[in-house]
Amino acid sequence: MNAIRDTWLVFRHNTRIALRQKAGIVFGVLQPLLYLVLFGPLFATIGTWETLVPGLLAQVALFSAGLAGFGIVMDARSGVLERLRVTPAHRTALLLGRVLGSSFTLLIQSVVLLAAGYAFGLRAPLPGVLAGLVLMALLGVGLAALSNAIALTMNPDLFAPVMGTAIVPLVLLSGAFLPMSMAPAWLDAISLATPFRHVVEAIRDLFAGRYATWTVAAGAAATVVLTLACVAVGTRIFNRENA
Amino acid sequence: MIKTSGLSKTFRGGVRAVRGVDLSVDSGEIVGFLGPNGAGKTTTMRMLTTLLRPTAGTATVAGRDLLTDPQGVRRHIGYVSQDGGIGPLNPVGEELELHAMLYGMRPAQARERVAQTLERLELAGLADRAGGALSGGQRRRFDLAFGLVHRPALLFLDEPTTGLDPQSRANLWDHIRRLRDEDGLTVLLSTHYLDEADALADRLVIIDHGAVVAEGTPAEIKGGAGTLDDAFLAITGRSLREDGGTGEPGAAGNGTAAAGTAGKRGAA
């Protein structure tokens, strides 16, 4: 019970801060929005909005939750993290509350992106959109946990440039901008080895109103496995030095 | 209130930061934990506050076993680290409320406690300020508020006045004394200022190279040496002021430091 209460407290606190810093929320979704506005109309001449927007969602996830560790770097620097660690708060709650906050931010950004997509011509069925958002929320938890773990492990000055660079190939390999069915075999093979490819294709199916497909199952499985693994790693690293 | 036996920390890479500290702090006393930079003060404090796991030794802190019941220890202690724990952007009052609630307080109780604590530390009216908008002295008192809001029995203060102007230091000292006198709070306070130790501490524990090299009341430590500075130099072979932060010009050259080494062996 303690764990749930503490997670809620930390989540609420972090969310309140995030909502106050609206610039951060906007900035996280700005790049995918630019793709939507400046690349989307071009893409729409050969493909559909229902194909493009799921890719852009993966891009937001990686740019927003993937860089969530930046916040923990700041808190570690200012001593806030250590101060919280001396409280009897449940150890995992300190990480989980933070990570759920990042996931919530990602959800807001996803909704912004979907609304903009809708304005341009995206027409996806509501159940598909909701299911897609569930996958995004899970993905946000996993990516934020991993990002926090990386941030706690590596030199804090290198975190932003290294992660910023690492995210680019992950976005490209997910087939976010052009479906990987168009790729040569070797590129397709690498892409299949990354989880985001499966997530993007699952959301594409969901947006097309196809729910009970192997692609959706694979995407959901990839998301759940990735999230569980990342939370496990994150918790382990977060609790490493504690007595 | 604190009892340690052979408490040690060897970091990965083999650095032996603390080598078998035996420490005993009674209820209601202010103990000054003195030592040069790098002597092992902060590492010891971080172990006693559950932030670092000891590699050897045992400790009872606030009646709980440090190794088997760190959660119990956390519930009964307050800790103010050297650098504090205030982020630049958030309103400090909001952070304090979260902090209080993580000790199990309900929202209304947390708000009330925060208000009382701030009142006491002459910080009332500043709760809405962002951390970055506080003066050095205010900031340090807010750090103290984080350590006190849950009314712990034992407070750890790691170099509480480093970087403060003389007025703010004196003010903080008054607050710390009052906490002991009025609430019976036990305080373990690390410092490398001898005047601070002299002014505040009932008892001193001197640590050097990761081990306790002397302990006693300020008067006992001074002994025949006259001043705490001389006594300290005799015990550790080093001046506390070698970092130059607050050093008086020419207070201790390398020559005197080397000459003091013999005294250290004698005392240890």
Side-chain angles (χ1 to χ4, degrees):
Chain A
M1 284 309 101
N2 223 354
I4 294 170
R5 176 184 180 268
D6 291 348
T7 303
W8 163 249
L9 287 174
V10 175
F11 166 77
R12 196 182 58 175
H13 184 75
N14 280 310
T15 303
R16 203 181 280 167
I17 293 168
L19 291 179
R20 204 177 293 143
Q21 261 122 49
K22 292 180 187 66
I25 294 183
V26 172
F27 197 74
V29 73
L30 195 58
Q31 203 158 333
L33 273 179
L34 287 173
Y35 274 90
L36 184 84
V37 175
L38 303 178
F39 172 72
L42 206 61
F43 183 89
T45 61
I46 55 158
T48 63
W49 290 100
E50 292 75 26
T51 312
L52 178 65
V53 173
L56 298 182
L57 283 174
Q59 195 189 12
V60 201
L62 281 160
F63 270 95
S64 170
L67 293 177
F70 204 64
I72 215 168
V73 170
M74 308 277 280
D75 278 1
R77 269 203 188 137
S78 61
V80 169
L81 194 59
E82 191 164 284
R83 167 166 70 67
L84 292 173
R85 277 185 154 147
V86 184
T87 70
H90 194 276
R91 302 294 94 181
T92 308
L94 291 178
L95 178 72
L96 216 54
R98 177 183 282 278
V99 161
L100 287 171
S102 303
S103 176
F104 186 71
T105 301
L106 174 60
L107 269 185
I108 296 175
Q109 292 166 329
S110 302
V111 170
V112 169
L113 188 68
L114 284 169
Y118 203 82
F120 273 85
L122 171 74
R123 292 294 175 269
L126 188 63
V129 170
L130 292 178
L133 286 175
V134 170
L135 288 184
M136 290 299 285
L138 276 170
L139 197 60
V141 170
L143 282 173
L146 184 66
S147 181
N148 279 305
I150 295 171
L152 289 172
T153 315
M154 76 189 285
N155 176 346
D157 291 326
L158 291 178
F159 178 77
V162 168
M163 291 299 278
T165 309
I167 281 169
V168 174
L170 288 174
V171 173
L172 291 173
L173 286 172
S174 74
F177 304 128
L178 284 176
M180 275 291 162
S181 53
M182 300 164 68
W186 64 270
L187 188 60
D188 191 35
I190 301 177
S191 159
L192 280 170
T194 68
F196 309 105
R197 157 84 180 265
H198 304 286
V199 180
V200 168
E201 293 196 339
I203 300 180
R204 280 181 181 147
D205 262 19
L206 292 171
F207 279 17
R210 296 189 297 268
Y211 306 125
T213 67
W214 286 113
T215 309
V216 170
T223 307
V224 169
V225 169
L226 179 78
T227 300
L228 289 178
C230 291
V231 168
V233 169
T235 313
R236 209 183 147 76
I237 289 182
F238 188 78
N239 292 339
R240 201 170 38 185
E241 269 301 352
N242 262 299
Chain B
M1 194 57 84
I2 303 176
K3 185 116 186 92
T4 77
S5 161
L7 201 65
S8 308
K9 181 72 188 178
T10 305
F11 285 105
R12 261 167 290 172
V15 179
R16 295 176 64 199
V18 175
R19 338 177 158 207
V21 163
D22 299 320
L23 192 68
S24 168
V25 174
D26 287 334
S27 200
E29 56 175 358
I30 299 182
V31 172
F33 200 32
L34 272 170
N37 287 332
K41 300 186 298 280
T42 297
T43 304
T44 304
M45 286 243 181
R46 288 171 54 83
M47 283 194 282
L48 293 175
T49 53
T50 78
L51 286 168
L52 271 183
R53 199 173 173 80
T55 39
T58 58
T60 310
V61 179
R64 320 281 146 147
D65 188 283
L66 181 64
L67 297 175
T68 60
D69 186 16
Q71 198 64 356
V73 171
R74 289 184 193 114
R75 226 167 261 134
H76 295 93
I77 62 165
Y79 172 55
V80 178
S81 74
Q82 222 172 100
D83 307 316
I86 297 175
L89 298 175
N90 302 332
V92 225
E94 203 178 290
E95 293 280 336
L96 258 169
E97 271 176 38
L98 169 71
H99 197 82
M101 282 192 275
L102 290 177
Y103 283 90
M105 283 180 231
R106 298 182 156 280
Q109 192 191 6
R111 266 193 298 277
E112 191 189 317
R113 253 336 150 65
V114 168
Q116 284 168 0
T117 310
L118 294 187
E119 184 75 37
R120 240 187 131 176
L121 294 170
E122 299 167 273
L123 291 166
L126 294 177
D128 293 335
R129 290 262 182 104
L134 299 169
S135 75
Q138 289 166 347
R139 209 185 148 77
R140 222 46 191 135
R141 273 180 285 144
F142 264 111
D143 283 330
L144 200 55
F146 279 105
L148 290 171
V149 73
H150 54 294
R151 299 202 182 138
L154 169 63
L155 181 66
F156 292 87
L157 295 174
D158 196 2
E159 314 226 347
T161 65
T162 300
L164 289 187
D165 60 80
Q167 243 173 339
S168 303
R169 287 183 81 200
N171 175 276
L172 202 68
W173 288 356
D174 283 341
H175 283 296
I176 295 168
R177 264 193 223 107
R178 199 171 307 145
L179 288 165
R180 191 263 320 264
D181 296 343
E182 293 173 11
D183 302 347
L185 186 71
T186 310
V187 182
L188 180 65
L189 168 143
S190 87
T191 179
H192 61 268
Y193 297 122
L194 290 166
D195 58 340
E196 182 160 289
D198 213 0
L200 276 180
D202 305 312
R203 216 153 53 76
L204 300 178
V205 173
I206 298 179
I207 181 170
D208 195 22
H209 298 296
V212 173
V213 292
E215 61 178 300
T217 63
E220 283 165 6
I221 298 274
K222 281 179 205 164
T227 71
L228 215 44
D229 293 70
D230 293 340
F232 192 84
L233 192 61
I235 292 165
T236 66
R238 291 199 261 171
S239 166
L240 271 182
R241 295 177 174 168
E242 61 196 13
D243 60 317
T246 57
E248 289 146 18
N254 285 331
T256 43
T261 312
K264 174 199 171 185
R265 303 244 184 276

